[in-house]
Amino acid sequence: MASAGLAYPDRFYAAAAYAGFGGSPQSSAAGASRFQNDVALLLYGLYQQATVGPCTDPKPRAWNPVEHSKWTSWHGLGNMASTEAMRLFVKILEEEDPAWYSRVPELAAESVVDVEMLKPKVEPATVSASENGDSLPETKTISTENGLLLETQDKDVVMEGLGLVSIYDQWVAPSVSGQRPKPRYAHGAAVLQEKMYIFGGNHNGRYLSDVQVLDLKSLTWSRIEAKALAGSLDSSITGSVAPSAGHSLIPWGDKILSIGGHTKDPSETITVKEFDPQTCLWSNLKTYGKPPISRGGQSVTLVGNTLVIFGGEDAKRSLLNDLHILDLETMTWDDIDAIGTPPAPRSDHAAACHADRYLLIFGGGSHATCFNDLHVLDLQTMEWSRPKQQGVTPGPRAGHAGVTVGENWFIAGGGNNMNGISETLVLNMATLVWSVVTTVQGRVPLASEGLSLVTSTYKGEDFLVSFGGYNGRYSNEVYVLKPSHISDLQSRMIDGPVSDTIAAVLPTTNTSRDMEPEIEGAQDKKIKEIEMDNGDSELNIRNEETIERIVESLKAEKEELESTFNKEQLQNLQIKQELAEAESRNTELTKELQSVRSQLAAEQSRCFKLEVDVAELRQKLQAMEALEKEVELLRRQKAASEQEALSAKQRQDSGGLWGWLAGSPPPEK
């Protein structure tokens, strides 16, 4: 990508400055004039969401249409995360003005020139005459000009589908015919009856609802005018299909299932829709049990007759790491509470199933970072684990796509918040060995987020088919890769001991996917020899030796597993004994606790009685104090009376003596 030199948030601020946001009113007006009104309003809303946050301003009055439109654009983003708003702002700017980065003076010197995708040079094939005298068409070649892929072919070329791809382990852009779909990413893709169906996706921040079909025999595009049943499944009334992105398409029988996805008006729970290619009708399937909450960016893996759904991002942009299973026979949901440490909440990851038992989760992203971890869920024991991986170390990525061919899990595309991922990886799910299949260079759709990846078979050979994606430009290109038989054999050969997490054990060898130069020069010849003569003696001898080593390794691992199992049983017995002792101690402690509680209750009752007695004594004491006060008062009154009587008597006695002295007769008695 041209702006790959800048990381977020610097990349966003550079784009915002170029678009005229965050500067003077004059620069803002000049920047807005570069875009149509709807694009300018969307950029404004994303800029405000990224720099300010969710809109809390009051709604402007209707008489100011400009401010009202700006408020509507900002308010409509809801609680979108700031980092997501930054990324979407840059995506829309690059879609409208792909060369913006080179036009910024201070950044032009850092601009990275796109280079062509690494592809083997396809020499024109020698044509031979057919029985009727007509010559067979030449295969097309691919050239580059100014970093952009160009397609050149003879006007008389007759399409032969995937058979045109003759080289192995390299991405090839075949020539396709028909009206190409609108460029997009985060769409769904599924193969049914040698046709690749594309539904929905995201273009310029808007969800799509069209159904496109690529005939893999003729590599011809066509569009299906699909309708949705408005009522019950047997209703004849049809309505429009709801636009969606971040959903999953799964082929099931002769129909295609669409699970989840982001929509403009999300429901509370996840929806399961069914598309019938015969009638071109969508219908909502009725499910039972407790369905998961609505989400997009989840992984949906078909395991037998069930769908295993993990993670994703809900309508409020909250990341999830829950696990749900939908039984396709009974259409019943089951909420799984697995043991062990689950993967961190994430979306836009990849998932695959190995041996109908192990669910593998790789990569994905949160709002701030991307992951490169690998988690395995045992669907029998429902236990998560983090297995030991070998081979190359994959870089962090999100928005990548994965597909399985036998025991090999191919991973293509994705991004890490700075660049698109250029290498295509393969993981042998039996040995957990990573290796690089091929690497692309330059700004090509394969190094994109949100691309789709499916498999198809042509004349007994497997092909990987990718479509769409976003890496600064929305893509509607188709690329095809044919995995080689040699690479499939090499993916079984590892350097060192194999993983002890998943069952298969394969031999040790020092081979790698990066062959010696002389082997690279003769690779096509060897592939042709293998195809023409499957009974090659040397290859058969190697296969027999490989099988013998596999058997010996399996026997050794079996003995090791039996020994480990015996140790685990002994340890389990010891744990049971300790648990029994702990339960016995717990019972005794419970009895003691009950006894203490009874004593405490008795003491509390006695204390209550004592408190009642103390209260009664306090009342009696108060009554006695009142009586003592009354007695003291009576004593004082009595003393006063006695004193008064004594005084009166003394006065009487004193009056008689003085009268006698004065000659007064004493009073008569």
Side-chain angles (χ1 to χ4, degrees), residues 54 83 103 109 127 172 249 252 279 341 388 391 436 466 648:
T83 53
R103 295 192 181 115
V127 297
V172 177
L249 285 190
W252 177 245
T279 62
T341 303
K388 181 181 178 181
V436 176
S466 76

Short mmCIF file of all heavy atoms in Angstrom, two decimals, residues 54 83 103 109 127 172 249 252 279 341 388 391 436 466 648:
data_model
loop_
_atom_site.label_atom_id
_atom_site.label_comp_id
_atom_site.label_asym_id
_atom_site.label_seq_id
_atom_site.Cartn_x
_atom_site.Cartn_y
_atom_site.Cartn_z
N PRO A 54 -18.53 9.57 20.19
CA PRO A 54 -19.95 9.54 19.80
C PRO A 54 -20.59 10.92 19.92
O PRO A 54 -20.24 11.72 20.80
CB PRO A 54 -20.57 8.54 20.78
CG PRO A 54 -19.43 7.67 21.19
CD PRO A 54 -18.22 8.56 21.22
N THR A 83 -10.85 3.90 16.84
CA THR A 83 -9.89 3.28 15.92
C THR A 83 -10.56 2.79 14.65
O THR A 83 -10.00 2.89 13.56
CB THR A 83 -9.21 2.10 16.63
OG1 THR A 83 -10.22 1.21 17.16
CG2 THR A 83 -8.34 2.59 17.77
N ARG A 103 0.44 13.02 -2.87
CA ARG A 103 0.21 14.45 -3.06
C ARG A 103 0.48 15.26 -1.81
O ARG A 103 0.40 16.48 -1.84
CB ARG A 103 -1.24 14.68 -3.52
CG ARG A 103 -1.54 14.07 -4.89
CD ARG A 103 -2.85 14.58 -5.43
NE ARG A 103 -3.15 13.98 -6.72
CZ ARG A 103 -4.17 13.18 -6.95
NH1 ARG A 103 -5.00 12.87 -5.97
NH2 ARG A 103 -4.38 12.69 -8.15
N ALA A 109 7.97 11.93 -0.22
CA ALA A 109 9.29 11.31 -0.27
C ALA A 109 9.28 9.91 0.31
O ALA A 109 10.13 9.09 0.01
CB ALA A 109 10.31 12.17 0.47
N VAL A 127 0.88 -24.91 -29.64
CA VAL A 127 -0.47 -25.35 -29.93
C VAL A 127 -0.41 -26.47 -30.95
O VAL A 127 0.45 -26.53 -31.81
CB VAL A 127 -1.32 -24.17 -30.47
CG1 VAL A 127 -1.44 -23.10 -29.42
CG2 VAL A 127 -0.71 -23.58 -31.74
N VAL A 172 -2.53 -17.02 -9.61
CA VAL A 172 -2.70 -16.63 -11.00
C VAL A 172 -4.04 -15.91 -11.13
O VAL A 172 -5.03 -16.31 -10.53
CB VAL A 172 -2.67 -17.86 -11.93
CG1 VAL A 172 -2.93 -17.46 -13.37
CG2 VAL A 172 -1.33 -18.58 -11.81
N LEU A 249 -21.08 -17.72 4.77
CA LEU A 249 -21.85 -18.56 3.85
C LEU A 249 -21.37 -20.00 3.97
O LEU A 249 -20.17 -20.26 3.88
CB LEU A 249 -21.70 -18.07 2.41
CG LEU A 249 -22.44 -16.81 1.99
CD1 LEU A 249 -22.38 -16.64 0.49
CD2 LEU A 249 -23.88 -16.80 2.46
N TRP A 252 -24.99 -26.23 2.25
CA TRP A 252 -25.64 -27.30 3.02
C TRP A 252 -26.65 -27.98 2.09
O TRP A 252 -27.68 -27.41 1.76
CB TRP A 252 -26.32 -26.72 4.25
CG TRP A 252 -27.08 -27.73 5.07
CD1 TRP A 252 -28.42 -27.79 5.29
CD2 TRP A 252 -26.52 -28.83 5.79
NE1 TRP A 252 -28.74 -28.85 6.09
CE2 TRP A 252 -27.59 -29.51 6.43
CE3 TRP A 252 -25.23 -29.32 5.96
CZ2 TRP A 252 -27.40 -30.63 7.21
CZ3 TRP A 252 -25.05 -30.45 6.74
CH2 TRP A 252 -26.12 -31.09 7.36
N THR A 279 -34.76 -21.53 -6.85
CA THR A 279 -35.83 -20.53 -6.85
C THR A 279 -35.32 -19.11 -6.69
O THR A 279 -36.09 -18.16 -6.84
CB THR A 279 -36.82 -20.83 -5.73
OG1 THR A 279 -36.14 -20.76 -4.46
CG2 THR A 279 -37.41 -22.23 -5.89
N THR A 341 -8.66 -22.31 28.93
CA THR A 341 -8.57 -20.88 28.64
C THR A 341 -8.96 -20.62 27.20
O THR A 341 -8.27 -21.06 26.27
CB THR A 341 -7.14 -20.36 28.88
OG1 THR A 341 -6.75 -20.65 30.23
CG2 THR A 341 -7.06 -18.87 28.63
N LYS A 388 1.64 -26.47 20.79
CA LYS A 388 2.96 -26.04 20.34
C LYS A 388 3.01 -26.12 18.82
O LYS A 388 2.68 -27.13 18.23
CB LYS A 388 4.03 -26.93 20.95
CG LYS A 388 5.46 -26.54 20.55
CD LYS A 388 6.47 -27.48 21.17
CE LYS A 388 7.90 -27.13 20.74
NZ LYS A 388 8.89 -28.06 21.31
N GLY A 391 7.67 -24.90 12.52
CA GLY A 391 7.83 -24.27 11.22
C GLY A 391 7.94 -22.77 11.33
O GLY A 391 8.38 -22.23 12.36
N VAL A 436 5.30 -21.59 4.28
CA VAL A 436 4.87 -20.56 3.34
C VAL A 436 4.68 -21.19 1.97
O VAL A 436 5.58 -21.86 1.45
CB VAL A 436 5.90 -19.42 3.27
CG1 VAL A 436 5.49 -18.39 2.22
CG2 VAL A 436 6.06 -18.76 4.63
N SER A 466 -9.78 -17.11 -4.73
CA SER A 466 -10.00 -15.95 -3.87
C SER A 466 -10.74 -14.87 -4.65
O SER A 466 -10.64 -14.79 -5.88
CB SER A 466 -8.67 -15.40 -3.35
OG SER A 466 -8.00 -14.67 -4.36
N ALA A 648 -42.05 29.86 119.07
CA ALA A 648 -43.29 30.43 119.59
C ALA A 648 -43.37 30.26 121.10
O ALA A 648 -43.80 31.16 121.83
CB ALA A 648 -44.49 29.77 118.90
#
